[in-house]
Amino acid sequence: MLASSVMYSFYTEVRWESIELAKINMKDTQKKPKLLHSLYFGIHFVAILILAPVWAPDVQAQDIFTVQGIRMDKTAASAREARAIALKESQEEAIGHLLRRLTPSSVWDELPVVESEALPFLVKGLQVTGEKTSSTRYLGWLAVSFKPPAITALLQGAGIDFVQLQSEPILLLPVYSDQYGSILWQEDNNWREAWARADIVGSLTPFVLPVGDLEDITDVSVQQALTGDVSALYNLAARYQLNRIMVAQALLFLEGGLVQVVATLYDYDGVQRTFTFTVSNKEVEVQPVFQTEESSDQLPRAMTDAGIARNNLLEEGIQQLIARSEEGWKKGLLAQDDGGGSLLVWVAYDNLREWLGIRKKIQGVASVDSFTIQEQTISGAWVVLSHLGDVSALSMALSRQNLHLVREEGGWIVFSSS
């Protein structure tokens, strides 16, 4: 939906003011502080407030320890019994999904097996929606929130590397192709509807669906999306205040027997990566029959079948695409783990309340191992951040908390934009 958003442009002025950093000998509190060095350092932010009717996605870090969109469908002697079975089995499905989300595929065979008796110690809460019952059947949707400390302890106890940091969100353009052609913004885009139902914000590589309003339709047509019009795509992403955009096309074949997914990710640095794979329903005879006449600006048109089989294929295609996207992110972060380090930063704030808020956000960043205060004043604090990965990964992690990490003449500065 459209909303008035506040966009801030910051101008940073460095002014030298006297700030003494002291080291206190904790063994003898009667001794005077030992002077390490003096810095003249101050920060003045001039915020230029711009009010504009821009849709801004929620880029706050989502709860990656919550698994949503688990479909429950069970039949038993009674609806009550069916519900109990569905809840038990769905929680088992959710823990498996979460452990695979946090770990690279190379260790999935080594993941610990969680018995149903242990689930109460791992589960923080359940949310059930869309419940429907008959005398013997139960239908519903389940979201399961897990306890982060319990999950991390489980993986650490098994000696398995895992990731807790989300990437920057990706703006997603889902193009649906069948025997009628390719569509992007139309209401009958089954591929987009499947994405809207999926758990895309809790992914390690979260996705954002555009609104699909007149501005979106004007910015990027289906032809521009499929041909990779980089200028149009980046302009759309910039309007959503995002740096990455993906065009994901699903080609559905006759009788819903097969879906081919071709997805291209356009990164802020100009790098393009393409994922191509096929999802098939082995119980349905696949007949990939294409029309013989094709215009130069259209992809081959595929025959299609509507219904449950089609939706199941599309949903499986989404899960596989998310898994492929997450896999690259996990491998990149885990490869950087040995390159972690410590960074001395000046945390700027105006008052105690802001300081407490910033400190809580920093301590909540998964890639920050430790947070050590060196010296504190009424307007800021010198803090040592021990972190995983490189500085760019740390900066991205902080930005997910609306914190900015910038380098000035006097060193690294962290400040809040909210």
Side-chain angles (χ1 to χ4, degrees):
M1 60 183 293
L2 290 175
S4 293
S5 302
V6 178
M7 300 171 58
Y8 290 93
S9 173
F10 288 96
Y11 167 75
T12 306
E13 176 188 351
V14 178
R15 189 177 69 185
W16 299 108
E17 293 177 348
S18 177
I19 298 178
E20 292 186 342
L21 300 182
K23 181 178 180 182
I24 300 176
N25 188 335
M26 300 304 294
K27 295 182 180 179
D28 186 358
T29 57
Q30 300 302 317
K31 293 183 179 181
K32 293 182 180 180
K34 180 181 178 182
L35 181 65
L36 291 180
H37 57 281
S38 297
L39 288 178
Y40 296 92
F41 195 82
I43 307 168
H44 285 245
F45 296 108
V46 180
I48 303 173
L49 183 64
I50 304 174
L51 295 178
V54 178
W55 185 94
D58 180 10
V59 294
Q60 294 289 334
Q62 301 294 330
D63 183 6
I64 60 173
F65 291 91
T66 295
V67 178
Q68 304 182 53
I70 302 174
R71 182 190 291 112
M72 298 184 290
D73 185 352
K74 286 297 172 183
T75 301
S78 67
R80 182 177 181 179
E81 182 181 348
R83 185 179 191 274
I85 296 172
L87 287 173
K88 175 181 175 294
E89 293 183 357
S90 296
Q91 289 179 70
E92 294 171 352
E93 177 184 346
I95 185 63
H97 183 94
L98 176 62
L99 295 181
R100 290 190 297 274
R101 171 189 287 174
L102 301 177
T103 58
S105 59
S106 58
V107 302
W108 285 356
D109 290 340
E110 305 169 24
L111 290 175
V113 177
V114 179
E115 302 295 338
S116 57
E117 294 78 9
L119 282 172
F121 301 100
L122 302 176
V123 174
K124 181 168 63 176
L126 304 175
Q127 182 180 17
V128 179
T129 57
E131 289 185 302
K132 296 180 180 179
T133 60
S134 67
S135 58
T136 58
R137 189 180 180 189
Y138 173 79
L139 300 172
W141 294 87
L142 181 67
V144 185
S145 295
F146 292 93
K147 302 172 184 176
I151 297 300
T152 56
L154 177 68
L155 291 171
Q156 288 171 346
I160 294 176
D161 292 332
F162 59 95
V163 170
Q164 301 180 70
L165 177 64
Q166 280 187 311
S167 74
E168 183 181 355
I170 302 168
L171 188 65
L172 180 75
L173 299 185
V175 177
Y176 180 72
S177 300
D178 61 13
Q179 79 269 29
Y180 301 106
S182 297
I183 57 176
L184 172 58
W185 303 114
Q186 287 85 339
E187 291 184 0
D188 58 344
N189 185 335
N190 297 300
W191 182 228
R192 178 187 173 89
E193 290 177 0
W195 278 97
R197 293 190 299 267
D199 180 11
I200 59 177
V201 295
S203 166
L204 287 177
T205 54
F207 292 91
V208 174
L209 283 172
V211 177
D213 58 12
L214 183 59
E215 285 186 283
D216 291 346
I217 296 171
T218 303
D219 281 352
V220 178
S221 67
V222 65
Q223 288 79 16
Q224 288 174 306
L226 290 176
T227 57
D229 188 329
V230 175
S231 177
L233 294 172
Y234 282 147
N235 285 340
L236 179 62
R239 191 157 56 76
Y240 280 80
Q241 302 175 33
L242 295 176
N243 294 316
R244 302 193 295 168
I245 185 169
M246 175 183 285
V247 177
Q249 183 192 21
L251 297 100
L252 195 65
F253 289 75
L254 183 64
E255 295 183 356
L258 182 145
V259 167
Q260 183 181 35
V261 176
V262 181
T264 301
L265 174 64
Y266 299 86
D267 225 326
Y268 63 91
D269 54 4
V271 175
Q272 298 180 20
R273 283 168 286 174
T274 299
F275 306 88
T276 302
F277 58 92
T278 299
V279 180
S280 63
N281 183 348
K282 296 181 179 180
E283 296 179 358
V284 178
E285 183 179 359
V286 180
Q287 301 181 38
V289 180
F290 290 90
Q291 293 185 356
T292 56
E293 295 183 3
E294 303 169 7
S295 60
S296 60
D297 62 346
Q298 279 184 323
L299 292 176
R301 296 181 172 186
M303 303 300 289
T304 183
D305 178 51
I308 296 176
R310 174 200 62 202
N311 290 339
N312 288 343
L313 286 169
L314 293 176
E315 290 168 4
E316 178 61 25
I318 289 171
Q319 295 308 314
Q320 290 197 27
L321 180 53
I322 290 175
R324 282 166 167 77
S325 177
E326 288 181 327
E327 185 70 8
W329 174 249
K330 287 182 282 191
K331 286 182 177 179
L333 283 183
L334 292 173
Q336 293 176 357
D337 278 354
D338 293 336
S342 297
L343 194 67
L344 177 65
V345 301
W346 172 256
V347 180
Y349 52 84
D350 292 330
N351 50 59
L352 178 61
R353 183 176 182 178
E354 185 180 9
W355 157 246
L356 294 176
I358 293 176
R359 185 177 67 178
K360 183 178 180 180
K361 288 180 178 179
I362 293 176
Q363 292 174 329
V365 173
S367 59
V368 174
D369 270 347
S370 64
F371 176 96
T372 306
I373 301 172
Q374 296 280 347
E375 178 70 14
Q376 188 169 2
T377 72
I378 60 173
S379 60
W382 284 104
V383 174
V384 175
L385 300 180
S386 296
H387 59 92
L388 301 176
D390 57 16
V391 175
S392 62
L394 175 63
S395 178
M396 179 178 293
L398 291 171
S399 69
R400 300 281 292 152
Q401 298 284 354
N402 282 337
L403 298 176
H404 300 273
L405 176 65
V406 296
R407 189 168 190 172
E408 298 292 346
E409 285 186 37
W412 291 94
I413 307 166
V414 171
F415 61 92
S416 174
S417 61
S418 60

